[in-house]
Amino acid sequence: MNKIKIQSPATVANLSCGFDILGLCLDKPYDEIEVIKIDEKKVIIDIIDSPYSNIPDNPLENTGGVPALGIIKDFNLDFGFNIKIKKGIPLCGGMGSSASTASGVVFAINKILNQKLTKKEMLKYALQGESVSVTDAHADNIAPCLLGGLTLIRDTKSLDIMKIPISDFYVSLIHPHFHISTQDARDILPKEIKLSSAIKQWGNIGALVLGFSSKNNSLIKRSMNDIIIEPVRSKLIKGFNEIKNRSIELGAIGCSISGSGPTMFALCDDKNIAENIIDFSNSFYKKNNIGCDTYLSNVNNSGPSII
Ligand code: HSE
């Protein structure tokens, strides 16, 4: 295979209380990435025009370029790659945009290399790509993006990552038009937390994982509660309380910040509820003169797909 074109999906990191350890793969929005084998042993990146095309085409500064260079070097390939990236996932929005590019490039190159890379190697290279956008990169976007479904990062350093069974859900994504960089959203977090808060949080995480794997929506509902990160970050998101409260009133199972924000997500078991949340959010931001994109997605259980 000399070339391949794929879709690489958005993800919801944290999923409320699972800061840095839980991530969910969506079916939209997504990036489109084409990787073409070239004779020269180098990486050429072309950014295809889109509303989110403001990303570097220098491979050393691009989250897809870095893993491609790493794979060429480590596997001593005698060829290179032309990578064409059409961003469909808003930048700095909290939907795993940088991870989607990193993971999509690794997925596509692995297909060209006849699946030479193990799952762990794919995660390793995608994480190297994610490191371009944030210091101390975390795997809660690249893992769900590459593996699909709901992933649990037991340990980032050893890439001990597993999929948690999950049934289908509707996910309303509400992306008000302001940028929050992951780094800034991390810098404002407390460096230490009280033991009593930690106990509440890990009770919720354990129960949330059990809720998903045992298809117990009422357990998911009462566990999807982040008492540590959300109260700090939500202050950066105008309208957060209004969107969250209304989403719960409308029947969402849970609602929180997607990744480091400002996107919010509402998890729903009913399409009408998810649509009503989107309608409310659009009119809320319109009334407040703030631009907003919304997406209605399902859980994507397989990760990137070939177009
Ligand atoms: N877990 C990371 C954070 C994800 O919340 O900072 C960011 O995409």
Side-chain angles (χ1 to χ4, degrees):
M1 185 188 293
N2 286 326
K3 69 173 181 178
I4 183 169
K5 192 169 178 187
I6 62 137
Q7 266 178 224
S8 191
T11 44
V12 173
N14 304 336
L15 220 57
S16 88
C17 52
F19 180 66
D20 281 2
I21 63 164
L22 286 180
L24 178 68
C25 189
L26 303 174
D27 60 10
K28 55 174 115 63
Y30 52 81
D31 291 347
E32 286 180 10
I33 300 173
E34 188 172 14
V35 177
I36 304 161
K37 204 167 150 181
I38 55 174
D39 290 338
E40 284 172 283
K41 198 175 163 158
K42 65 178 187 178
V43 173
I44 301 168
I45 295 191
D46 295 319
I47 310 296
I48 311 297
D49 198 34
S50 86
Y52 316 112
S53 52
N54 186 21
I55 59 166
D57 61 3
N58 176 348
L60 292 169
E61 294 170 12
N62 183 288
T63 63
V66 165
L69 288 166
I71 293 169
I72 293 172
K73 181 167 172 276
D74 295 349
F75 289 84
N76 202 16
L77 303 181
D78 59 1
F79 52 88
F81 303 105
N82 176 202
I83 301 170
K84 297 176 190 290
I85 302 168
K86 185 172 179 192
K87 295 292 300 173
I89 307 174
L91 313 174
C92 295
M95 286 178 266
S97 189
S98 55
S100 163
T101 304
S103 308
V105 166
V106 171
F107 174 86
I109 289 179
N110 190 41
K111 291 280 180 211
I112 290 180
L113 299 182
N114 292 320
Q115 320 263 38
K116 205 183 182 74
L117 277 65
T118 62
K119 181 181 106 177
K120 208 168 235 190
E121 284 170 334
M122 290 175 74
L123 291 164
K124 179 185 90 174
Y125 288 111
L127 194 62
Q128 287 174 5
E130 181 74 307
S131 307
V132 174
S133 67
V134 64
T135 48
D136 186 22
H138 34 276
D140 53 352
N141 288 118
I142 57 127
C145 184
L146 266 176
L147 307 178
L150 174 63
T151 52
L152 171 69
I153 294 72
R154 196 203 61 79
D155 180 53
T156 308
K157 201 164 171 228
S158 60
L159 289 173
D160 188 4
I161 293 173
M162 55 228 70
K163 281 184 78 163
I164 308 295
I166 182 168
S167 42
D168 202 12
F169 287 98
Y170 297 93
V171 182
S172 314
L173 282 174
I174 302 118
H175 171 232
H177 287 180
F178 34 87
H179 284 190
I180 298 178
S181 87
T182 299
Q183 195 61 57
D184 292 346
R186 293 179 83 78
D187 290 345
I188 60 165
L189 297 177
K191 302 291 169 274
E192 285 168 14
I193 55 170
K194 280 188 1 200
L195 182 61
S196 56
S197 305
I199 291 167
K200 280 189 191 150
Q201 191 89 343
W202 61 53
N204 279 329
I205 298 165
L208 184 62
V209 168
L210 179 63
F212 280 118
S213 53
S214 61
K215 302 185 195 300
N216 183 340
N217 286 2
S218 84
L219 182 57
I220 295 172
K221 192 175 174 81
R222 56 184 202 273
S223 318
M224 203 175 244
N225 183 18
D226 171 8
I227 62 154
I228 295 173
I229 310 296
E230 185 186 292
V232 180
R233 286 184 169 170
S234 58
K235 296 194 176 80
L236 301 176
I237 306 173
K238 186 173 167 49
F240 177 82
N241 291 330
E242 289 87 341
I243 302 292
K244 178 163 178 163
N245 293 340
R246 189 71 187 129
S247 295
I248 301 297
E249 278 168 18
L250 287 167
I253 295 171
C255 175
S256 186
I257 304 169
S258 177
S260 53
T263 298
M264 290 152 273
F265 75 93
L267 187 81
C268 307
D269 57 3
D270 179 290
K271 193 174 182 192
N272 284 329
I273 293 174
E275 284 170 345
N276 290 341
I277 291 170
I278 283 181
D279 290 346
F280 170 79
S281 305
N282 279 325
S283 50
F284 174 84
Y285 282 111
K286 198 166 173 199
K287 260 188 243 150
N288 285 280
N289 291 317
I290 296 172
C292 171
D293 309 310
T294 49
Y295 306 88
L296 175 56
S297 179
N298 286 97
V299 173
N300 169 348
N301 250 311
S302 50
S305 54
I306 299 171
I307 306 177

